């Protein structure tokens, strides 16, 4: 699918790792191109703030990586949601990964060099990017810890990682909640993502009359192409007349 031109009624929902940023060997090693925060801020201004980052990372990591850009954002796949006016919603409050799960997983990966646990405020991820041969064992371990029918937590497949996250949260839910409010309400959402959890965000964008774009299909699997499309988008928007001046007969 070819990515469309942006227009002034677009809203952008952007995943971070694998979409705006190249995947790194570990989440800490990710490199933010120096021009990216400014590019996103430019789009944010052109779209009246309708640019949201929707990531599996906690909000504070999103903010640190993209500083000083501080947009509406969903962290941990929608568990933490920040609206454009800065209002923060955490959902649901007070549910934490049981300590014995963390202990069992920590002991379970001890003998597997390259496998590591990333703790998050409301969940955790087990990464095996540096030891891909452990994939089956990692999945066996996490499945032994988290029952498939657990009421609060679910396993979320990620790129060379598996996450334990809150069942109640999803990127689709995050898009729906953001779309209910300004400046997103009434706009045409475009969701771009590269991973399993992004599919829910893409589906929700389509339900709002918008589009879901997979990085692999629409951008050749390369975050640099996503950034280039966004850069093209800012130039295209700059060339468009402001909406109020677009009526026939309006002075040029
Ligand atoms: Mg991603």
């Amino acid at each position: 699918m070819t990515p469309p031109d942006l227009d002034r009624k677009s809203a952008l929902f952007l995943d971070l790792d694998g979409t705006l940023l190249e995947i790194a060997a570990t989440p800490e090693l990710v490199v933010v191109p120096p021009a990216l925060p400014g590019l996103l801020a430019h789009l944010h201004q052109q779209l009246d703030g309708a640019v949201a980052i929707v990531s599996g990372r906690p909000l504070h990591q999103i903010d640190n990586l993209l500083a000083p850009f501080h947009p509406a954002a969903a962290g941990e796949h929608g568990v933490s949601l920040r609206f454009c006016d800065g209002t923060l919603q955490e959902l649901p409050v007070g549910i934490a990964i049981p300590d014995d799960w963390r202990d069992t997983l920590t002991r379970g990966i001890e003998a597997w060099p390259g496998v590591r646990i990333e703790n998050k405020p409301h969940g955790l991820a087990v990464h095996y990017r540096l030891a891909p041969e452990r994939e089956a064992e990692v999945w066996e371990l996490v499945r032994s810890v988290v029952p498939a029918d657990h009421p609060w937590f679910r396993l979320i497949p990620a790129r060379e990682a598996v996450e334990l996250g809150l069942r109640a949260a999803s990127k689709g839910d995050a898009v729906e909640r953001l779309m209910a409010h300004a400046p997103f309400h009434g706009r045409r959402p475009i969701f771009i993502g590269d991973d399993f959890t992004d599919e829910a965000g893409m589906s929700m964008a389509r339900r709002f009359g918008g589009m879901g774009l997979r990085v692999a299909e629409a951008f050749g699997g390369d975050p640099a192409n996503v950034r280039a499309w966004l850069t093209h988008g800012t130039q295209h928007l700059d060339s468009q007349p402001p909406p109020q001046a677009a009526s026939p007969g309006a002075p040029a």
Side-chain angles (χ1 to χ4, degrees), residues 15-19 23 159 171 193-195 198:
D15 171 51
L16 194 52
D17 296 79
T19 298
I23 299 271
R159 286 175 67 166
K171 290 191 176 184
D194 72 308
D195 208 348
D198 297 311

Side-chain angles (χ1 to χ4, degrees), residues 204-233:
M204 189 58 69
R206 294 184 195 111
R207 272 179 48 187
F208 278 94
M211 304 181 81
L213 299 174
R214 296 186 185 96
V215 177
E217 293 169 8
F219 300 97
D222 188 348
N225 291 337
V226 179
R227 298 192 297 266
W229 176 76
L230 293 173
T231 302
H232 173 79

